[in-house]
Amino acid sequence: MEITILLLLLLLVALHCLFGYKALCSEAKISQGQKCLWCALSLGLGPAGYYFYQGLIPCDMLGRD
């Protein structure tokens, strides 16, 4: 049971780190400070923080075609 809990916690931390990395490496046309805030929210809240902040960025600044 403890190994399962430890594995789940490690996977959760990895998920949060992946979303933080994705926010830092985003092609969005925002300042580095805003990217750092986006990364911090992603690290703290995981996908919820990532998509919350992404919803605040205007679509024309996201760098998508």
PDB file of all heavy atoms in Angstrom, residues 10-39:
ATOM      1  N   LEU A  10       4.710  10.492  -6.635  1.00  0.00           N
ATOM      2  CA  LEU A  10       5.765  10.793  -7.598  1.00  0.00           C
ATOM      3  C   LEU A  10       5.187  11.132  -8.966  1.00  0.00           C
ATOM      4  O   LEU A  10       5.658  12.058  -9.636  1.00  0.00           O
ATOM      5  CB  LEU A  10       6.725   9.615  -7.713  1.00  0.00           C
ATOM      6  CG  LEU A  10       7.656   9.397  -6.524  1.00  0.00           C
ATOM      7  CD1 LEU A  10       8.442   8.101  -6.695  1.00  0.00           C
ATOM      8  CD2 LEU A  10       8.590  10.570  -6.349  1.00  0.00           C
ATOM      9  N   LEU A  11       4.166  10.414  -9.377  1.00  0.00           N
ATOM     10  CA  LEU A  11       3.528  10.714 -10.654  1.00  0.00           C
ATOM     11  C   LEU A  11       2.820  12.067 -10.627  1.00  0.00           C
ATOM     12  O   LEU A  11       2.830  12.793 -11.615  1.00  0.00           O
ATOM     13  CB  LEU A  11       2.546   9.602 -11.030  1.00  0.00           C
ATOM     14  CG  LEU A  11       3.187   8.273 -11.433  1.00  0.00           C
ATOM     15  CD1 LEU A  11       2.118   7.204 -11.610  1.00  0.00           C
ATOM     16  CD2 LEU A  11       4.010   8.421 -12.682  1.00  0.00           C
ATOM     17  N   LEU A  12       2.235  12.417  -9.498  1.00  0.00           N
ATOM     18  CA  LEU A  12       1.588  13.721  -9.365  1.00  0.00           C
ATOM     19  C   LEU A  12       2.613  14.848  -9.439  1.00  0.00           C
ATOM     20  O   LEU A  12       2.393  15.857 -10.114  1.00  0.00           O
ATOM     21  CB  LEU A  12       0.806  13.792  -8.049  1.00  0.00           C
ATOM     22  CG  LEU A  12       0.031  15.076  -7.793  1.00  0.00           C
ATOM     23  CD1 LEU A  12      -1.076  15.226  -8.835  1.00  0.00           C
ATOM     24  CD2 LEU A  12      -0.549  15.066  -6.403  1.00  0.00           C
ATOM     25  N   VAL A  13       3.734  14.671  -8.785  1.00  0.00           N
ATOM     26  CA  VAL A  13       4.811  15.673  -8.846  1.00  0.00           C
ATOM     27  C   VAL A  13       5.335  15.790 -10.280  1.00  0.00           C
ATOM     28  O   VAL A  13       5.573  16.903 -10.778  1.00  0.00           O
ATOM     29  CB  VAL A  13       5.945  15.317  -7.851  1.00  0.00           C
ATOM     30  CG1 VAL A  13       7.185  16.152  -8.111  1.00  0.00           C
ATOM     31  CG2 VAL A  13       5.466  15.492  -6.425  1.00  0.00           C
ATOM     32  N   ALA A  14       5.495  14.658 -10.955  1.00  0.00           N
ATOM     33  CA  ALA A  14       5.955  14.679 -12.350  1.00  0.00           C
ATOM     34  C   ALA A  14       4.951  15.409 -13.237  1.00  0.00           C
ATOM     35  O   ALA A  14       5.341  16.179 -14.127  1.00  0.00           O
ATOM     36  CB  ALA A  14       6.177  13.252 -12.851  1.00  0.00           C
ATOM     37  N   LEU A  15       3.662  15.204 -13.008  1.00  0.00           N
ATOM     38  CA  LEU A  15       2.632  15.892 -13.783  1.00  0.00           C
ATOM     39  C   LEU A  15       2.712  17.400 -13.587  1.00  0.00           C
ATOM     40  O   LEU A  15       2.688  18.160 -14.555  1.00  0.00           O
ATOM     41  CB  LEU A  15       1.245  15.388 -13.381  1.00  0.00           C
ATOM     42  CG  LEU A  15       0.065  16.048 -14.065  1.00  0.00           C
ATOM     43  CD1 LEU A  15      -0.018  15.593 -15.519  1.00  0.00           C
ATOM     44  CD2 LEU A  15      -1.222  15.714 -13.346  1.00  0.00           C
ATOM     45  N   HIS A  16       2.867  17.830 -12.348  1.00  0.00           N
ATOM     46  CA  HIS A  16       2.980  19.259 -12.060  1.00  0.00           C
ATOM     47  C   HIS A  16       4.238  19.833 -12.716  1.00  0.00           C
ATOM     48  O   HIS A  16       4.190  20.940 -13.276  1.00  0.00           O
ATOM     49  CB  HIS A  16       3.001  19.493 -10.556  1.00  0.00           C
ATOM     50  CG  HIS A  16       1.653  19.365  -9.927  1.00  0.00           C
ATOM     51  ND1 HIS A  16       1.102  20.366  -9.171  1.00  0.00           N
ATOM     52  CD2 HIS A  16       0.745  18.364  -9.922  1.00  0.00           C
ATOM     53  CE1 HIS A  16      -0.083  19.987  -8.734  1.00  0.00           C
ATOM     54  NE2 HIS A  16      -0.314  18.765  -9.184  1.00  0.00           N
ATOM     55  N   CYS A  17       5.337  19.105 -12.676  1.00  0.00           N
ATOM     56  CA  CYS A  17       6.580  19.577 -13.303  1.00  0.00           C
ATOM     57  C   CYS A  17       6.436  19.668 -14.820  1.00  0.00           C
ATOM     58  O   CYS A  17       6.951  20.613 -15.436  1.00  0.00           O
ATOM     59  CB  CYS A  17       7.736  18.657 -12.939  1.00  0.00           C
ATOM     60  SG  CYS A  17       8.236  18.783 -11.218  1.00  0.00           S
ATOM     61  N   LEU A  18       5.750  18.719 -15.430  1.00  0.00           N
ATOM     62  CA  LEU A  18       5.544  18.765 -16.874  1.00  0.00           C
ATOM     63  C   LEU A  18       4.730  19.982 -17.290  1.00  0.00           C
ATOM     64  O   LEU A  18       5.043  20.641 -18.283  1.00  0.00           O
ATOM     65  CB  LEU A  18       4.864  17.489 -17.361  1.00  0.00           C
ATOM     66  CG  LEU A  18       5.747  16.251 -17.411  1.00  0.00           C
ATOM     67  CD1 LEU A  18       4.909  15.013 -17.739  1.00  0.00           C
ATOM     68  CD2 LEU A  18       6.852  16.417 -18.420  1.00  0.00           C
ATOM     69  N   PHE A  19       3.691  20.298 -16.528  1.00  0.00           N
ATOM     70  CA  PHE A  19       2.896  21.473 -16.860  1.00  0.00           C
ATOM     71  C   PHE A  19       3.672  22.758 -16.607  1.00  0.00           C
ATOM     72  O   PHE A  19       3.527  23.733 -17.333  1.00  0.00           O
ATOM     73  CB  PHE A  19       1.560  21.466 -16.110  1.00  0.00           C
ATOM     74  CG  PHE A  19       0.496  20.692 -16.830  1.00  0.00           C
ATOM     75  CD1 PHE A  19       0.251  19.374 -16.527  1.00  0.00           C
ATOM     76  CD2 PHE A  19      -0.252  21.282 -17.832  1.00  0.00           C
ATOM     77  CE1 PHE A  19      -0.717  18.648 -17.206  1.00  0.00           C
ATOM     78  CE2 PHE A  19      -1.228  20.578 -18.518  1.00  0.00           C
ATOM     79  CZ  PHE A  19      -1.459  19.250 -18.201  1.00  0.00           C
ATOM     80  N   GLY A  20       4.523  22.779 -15.573  1.00  0.00           N
ATOM     81  CA  GLY A  20       5.377  23.942 -15.342  1.00  0.00           C
ATOM     82  C   GLY A  20       6.365  24.142 -16.474  1.00  0.00           C
ATOM     83  O   GLY A  20       6.578  25.261 -16.944  1.00  0.00           O
ATOM     84  N   TYR A  21       6.957  23.073 -16.945  1.00  0.00           N
ATOM     85  CA  TYR A  21       7.896  23.141 -18.073  1.00  0.00           C
ATOM     86  C   TYR A  21       7.180  23.585 -19.346  1.00  0.00           C
ATOM     87  O   TYR A  21       7.708  24.393 -20.111  1.00  0.00           O
ATOM     88  CB  TYR A  21       8.550  21.768 -18.270  1.00  0.00           C
ATOM     89  CG  TYR A  21       9.488  21.720 -19.445  1.00  0.00           C
ATOM     90  CD1 TYR A  21      10.738  22.310 -19.371  1.00  0.00           C
ATOM     91  CD2 TYR A  21       9.113  21.094 -20.624  1.00  0.00           C
ATOM     92  CE1 TYR A  21      11.606  22.280 -20.455  1.00  0.00           C
ATOM     93  CE2 TYR A  21       9.966  21.059 -21.708  1.00  0.00           C
ATOM     94  CZ  TYR A  21      11.207  21.644 -21.620  1.00  0.00           C
ATOM     95  OH  TYR A  21      12.050  21.619 -22.694  1.00  0.00           O
ATOM     96  N   LYS A  22       5.977  23.057 -19.550  1.00  0.00           N
ATOM     97  CA  LYS A  22       5.202  23.426 -20.731  1.00  0.00           C
ATOM     98  C   LYS A  22       4.881  24.925 -20.723  1.00  0.00           C
ATOM     99  O   LYS A  22       4.893  25.578 -21.760  1.00  0.00           O
ATOM    100  CB  LYS A  22       3.922  22.601 -20.770  1.00  0.00           C
ATOM    101  CG  LYS A  22       3.139  22.714 -22.026  1.00  0.00           C
ATOM    102  CD  LYS A  22       1.949  21.755 -22.004  1.00  0.00           C
ATOM    103  CE  LYS A  22       1.084  21.963 -23.213  1.00  0.00           C
ATOM    104  NZ  LYS A  22      -0.102  21.114 -23.211  1.00  0.00           N
ATOM    105  N   ALA A  23       4.599  25.478 -19.555  1.00  0.00           N
ATOM    106  CA  ALA A  23       4.310  26.913 -19.451  1.00  0.00           C
ATOM    107  C   ALA A  23       5.556  27.744 -19.751  1.00  0.00           C
ATOM    108  O   ALA A  23       5.483  28.758 -20.443  1.00  0.00           O
ATOM    109  CB  ALA A  23       3.774  27.240 -18.065  1.00  0.00           C
ATOM    110  N   LEU A  24       6.722  27.324 -19.251  1.00  0.00           N
ATOM    111  CA  LEU A  24       7.958  28.072 -19.502  1.00  0.00           C
ATOM    112  C   LEU A  24       8.378  28.021 -20.966  1.00  0.00           C
ATOM    113  O   LEU A  24       8.911  28.995 -21.489  1.00  0.00           O
ATOM    114  CB  LEU A  24       9.097  27.528 -18.642  1.00  0.00           C
ATOM    115  CG  LEU A  24       9.200  28.053 -17.227  1.00  0.00           C
ATOM    116  CD1 LEU A  24      10.386  27.414 -16.522  1.00  0.00           C
ATOM    117  CD2 LEU A  24       9.312  29.553 -17.188  1.00  0.00           C
ATOM    118  N   CYS A  25       8.146  26.912 -21.613  1.00  0.00           N
ATOM    119  CA  CYS A  25       8.578  26.741 -23.010  1.00  0.00           C
ATOM    120  C   CYS A  25       7.492  27.110 -24.007  1.00  0.00           C
ATOM    121  O   CYS A  25       7.647  26.853 -25.202  1.00  0.00           O
ATOM    122  CB  CYS A  25       9.005  25.300 -23.232  1.00  0.00           C
ATOM    123  SG  CYS A  25      10.438  24.872 -22.259  1.00  0.00           S
ATOM    124  N   SER A  26       6.421  27.703 -23.548  1.00  0.00           N
ATOM    125  CA  SER A  26       5.317  28.064 -24.433  1.00  0.00           C
ATOM    126  C   SER A  26       5.756  29.122 -25.440  1.00  0.00           C
ATOM    127  O   SER A  26       6.614  29.954 -25.164  1.00  0.00           O
ATOM    128  CB  SER A  26       4.158  28.611 -23.602  1.00  0.00           C
ATOM    129  OG  SER A  26       3.156  29.128 -24.444  1.00  0.00           O
ATOM    130  N   GLU A  27       5.140  29.085 -26.614  1.00  0.00           N
ATOM    131  CA  GLU A  27       5.426  30.077 -27.649  1.00  0.00           C
ATOM    132  C   GLU A  27       4.528  31.303 -27.518  1.00  0.00           C
ATOM    133  O   GLU A  27       4.491  32.138 -28.424  1.00  0.00           O
ATOM    134  CB  GLU A  27       5.248  29.445 -29.027  1.00  0.00           C
ATOM    135  CG  GLU A  27       6.248  28.354 -29.322  1.00  0.00           C
ATOM    136  CD  GLU A  27       6.054  27.737 -30.688  1.00  0.00           C
ATOM    137  OE1 GLU A  27       5.256  28.272 -31.482  1.00  0.00           O
ATOM    138  OE2 GLU A  27       6.696  26.717 -30.952  1.00  0.00           O
ATOM    139  N   ALA A  28       3.830  31.421 -26.421  1.00  0.00           N
ATOM    140  CA  ALA A  28       2.949  32.572 -26.205  1.00  0.00           C
ATOM    141  C   ALA A  28       3.774  33.856 -26.177  1.00  0.00           C
ATOM    142  O   ALA A  28       4.888  33.886 -25.649  1.00  0.00           O
ATOM    143  CB  ALA A  28       2.183  32.416 -24.901  1.00  0.00           C
ATOM    144  N   LYS A  29       3.221  34.889 -26.760  1.00  0.00           N
ATOM    145  CA  LYS A  29       3.921  36.178 -26.842  1.00  0.00           C
ATOM    146  C   LYS A  29       3.616  37.008 -25.600  1.00  0.00           C
ATOM    147  O   LYS A  29       2.949  38.038 -25.668  1.00  0.00           O
ATOM    148  CB  LYS A  29       3.501  36.908 -28.113  1.00  0.00           C
ATOM    149  CG  LYS A  29       3.854  36.157 -29.370  1.00  0.00           C
ATOM    150  CD  LYS A  29       3.247  36.805 -30.604  1.00  0.00           C
ATOM    151  CE  LYS A  29       3.468  35.910 -31.801  1.00  0.00           C
ATOM    152  NZ  LYS A  29       2.247  35.524 -32.448  1.00  0.00           N
ATOM    153  N   ILE A  30       4.108  36.532 -24.455  1.00  0.00           N
ATOM    154  CA  ILE A  30       3.936  37.239 -23.185  1.00  0.00           C
ATOM    155  C   ILE A  30       5.315  37.443 -22.571  1.00  0.00           C
ATOM    156  O   ILE A  30       6.289  36.804 -22.976  1.00  0.00           O
ATOM    157  CB  ILE A  30       3.007  36.468 -22.213  1.00  0.00           C
ATOM    158  CG1 ILE A  30       3.529  35.064 -21.935  1.00  0.00           C
ATOM    159  CG2 ILE A  30       1.587  36.409 -22.760  1.00  0.00           C
ATOM    160  CD1 ILE A  30       2.718  34.272 -20.929  1.00  0.00           C
ATOM    161  N   SER A  31       5.403  38.331 -21.591  1.00  0.00           N
ATOM    162  CA  SER A  31       6.699  38.636 -20.976  1.00  0.00           C
ATOM    163  C   SER A  31       7.211  37.438 -20.172  1.00  0.00           C
ATOM    164  O   SER A  31       6.458  36.527 -19.817  1.00  0.00           O
ATOM    165  CB  SER A  31       6.576  39.851 -20.064  1.00  0.00           C
ATOM    166  OG  SER A  31       5.814  39.525 -18.922  1.00  0.00           O
ATOM    167  N   GLN A  32       8.507  37.465 -19.893  1.00  0.00           N
ATOM    168  CA  GLN A  32       9.112  36.382 -19.122  1.00  0.00           C
ATOM    169  C   GLN A  32       8.532  36.319 -17.710  1.00  0.00           C
ATOM    170  O   GLN A  32       8.384  35.238 -17.150  1.00  0.00           O
ATOM    171  CB  GLN A  32      10.637  36.550 -19.075  1.00  0.00           C
ATOM    172  CG  GLN A  32      11.361  35.341 -18.560  1.00  0.00           C
ATOM    173  CD  GLN A  32      11.167  34.110 -19.440  1.00  0.00           C
ATOM    174  OE1 GLN A  32      10.993  34.202 -20.641  1.00  0.00           O
ATOM    175  NE2 GLN A  32      11.210  32.952 -18.835  1.00  0.00           N
ATOM    176  N   GLY A  33       8.193  37.468 -17.137  1.00  0.00           N
ATOM    177  CA  GLY A  33       7.580  37.493 -15.810  1.00  0.00           C
ATOM    178  C   GLY A  33       6.227  36.802 -15.801  1.00  0.00           C
ATOM    179  O   GLY A  33       5.898  36.073 -14.864  1.00  0.00           O
ATOM    180  N   GLN A  34       5.446  37.023 -16.858  1.00  0.00           N
ATOM    181  CA  GLN A  34       4.156  36.356 -16.959  1.00  0.00           C
ATOM    182  C   GLN A  34       4.335  34.862 -17.164  1.00  0.00           C
ATOM    183  O   GLN A  34       3.562  34.065 -16.634  1.00  0.00           O
ATOM    184  CB  GLN A  34       3.339  36.951 -18.102  1.00  0.00           C
ATOM    185  CG  GLN A  34       2.824  38.343 -17.808  1.00  0.00           C
ATOM    186  CD  GLN A  34       2.110  38.951 -19.005  1.00  0.00           C
ATOM    187  OE1 GLN A  34       2.574  38.847 -20.138  1.00  0.00           O
ATOM    188  NE2 GLN A  34       0.986  39.596 -18.743  1.00  0.00           N
ATOM    189  N   LYS A  35       5.368  34.470 -17.906  1.00  0.00           N
ATOM    190  CA  LYS A  35       5.639  33.041 -18.078  1.00  0.00           C
ATOM    191  C   LYS A  35       6.049  32.406 -16.754  1.00  0.00           C
ATOM    192  O   LYS A  35       5.687  31.270 -16.456  1.00  0.00           O
ATOM    193  CB  LYS A  35       6.717  32.811 -19.127  1.00  0.00           C
ATOM    194  CG  LYS A  35       6.202  32.930 -20.541  1.00  0.00           C
ATOM    195  CD  LYS A  35       7.241  32.504 -21.547  1.00  0.00           C
ATOM    196  CE  LYS A  35       6.692  32.634 -22.955  1.00  0.00           C
ATOM    197  NZ  LYS A  35       7.642  32.208 -23.969  1.00  0.00           N
ATOM    198  N   CYS A  36       6.812  33.147 -15.949  1.00  0.00           N
ATOM    199  CA  CYS A  36       7.209  32.630 -14.632  1.00  0.00           C
ATOM    200  C   CYS A  36       5.996  32.472 -13.723  1.00  0.00           C
ATOM    201  O   CYS A  36       5.902  31.487 -12.983  1.00  0.00           O
ATOM    202  CB  CYS A  36       8.252  33.532 -13.992  1.00  0.00           C
ATOM    203  SG  CYS A  36       9.865  33.436 -14.779  1.00  0.00           S
ATOM    204  N   LEU A  37       5.071  33.432 -13.777  1.00  0.00           N
ATOM    205  CA  LEU A  37       3.838  33.311 -12.998  1.00  0.00           C
ATOM    206  C   LEU A  37       3.029  32.110 -13.474  1.00  0.00           C
ATOM    207  O   LEU A  37       2.514  31.335 -12.669  1.00  0.00           O
ATOM    208  CB  LEU A  37       3.007  34.588 -13.119  1.00  0.00           C
ATOM    209  CG  LEU A  37       1.625  34.556 -12.467  1.00  0.00           C
ATOM    210  CD1 LEU A  37       1.738  34.337 -10.967  1.00  0.00           C
ATOM    211  CD2 LEU A  37       0.860  35.834 -12.786  1.00  0.00           C
ATOM    212  N   TRP A  38       2.940  31.935 -14.780  1.00  0.00           N
ATOM    213  CA  TRP A  38       2.236  30.803 -15.366  1.00  0.00           C
ATOM    214  C   TRP A  38       2.877  29.491 -14.917  1.00  0.00           C
ATOM    215  O   TRP A  38       2.194  28.533 -14.547  1.00  0.00           O
ATOM    216  CB  TRP A  38       2.266  30.938 -16.874  1.00  0.00           C
ATOM    217  CG  TRP A  38       1.367  30.036 -17.651  1.00  0.00           C
ATOM    218  CD1 TRP A  38       0.398  29.207 -17.165  1.00  0.00           C
ATOM    219  CD2 TRP A  38       1.340  29.868 -19.067  1.00  0.00           C
ATOM    220  NE1 TRP A  38      -0.223  28.550 -18.185  1.00  0.00           N
ATOM    221  CE2 TRP A  38       0.343  28.934 -19.375  1.00  0.00           C
ATOM    222  CE3 TRP A  38       2.068  30.417 -20.094  1.00  0.00           C
ATOM    223  CZ2 TRP A  38       0.056  28.539 -20.676  1.00  0.00           C
ATOM    224  CZ3 TRP A  38       1.774  30.039 -21.398  1.00  0.00           C
ATOM    225  CH2 TRP A  38       0.780  29.106 -21.674  1.00  0.00           C
ATOM    226  N   CYS A  39       4.207  29.460 -14.900  1.00  0.00           N
ATOM    227  CA  CYS A  39       4.930  28.269 -14.448  1.00  0.00           C
ATOM    228  C   CYS A  39       4.667  28.000 -12.963  1.00  0.00           C
ATOM    229  O   CYS A  39       4.442  26.855 -12.567  1.00  0.00           O
ATOM    230  CB  CYS A  39       6.420  28.436 -14.703  1.00  0.00           C
ATOM    231  SG  CYS A  39       7.409  27.048 -14.142  1.00  0.00           S
TER     232      CYS A  39
END
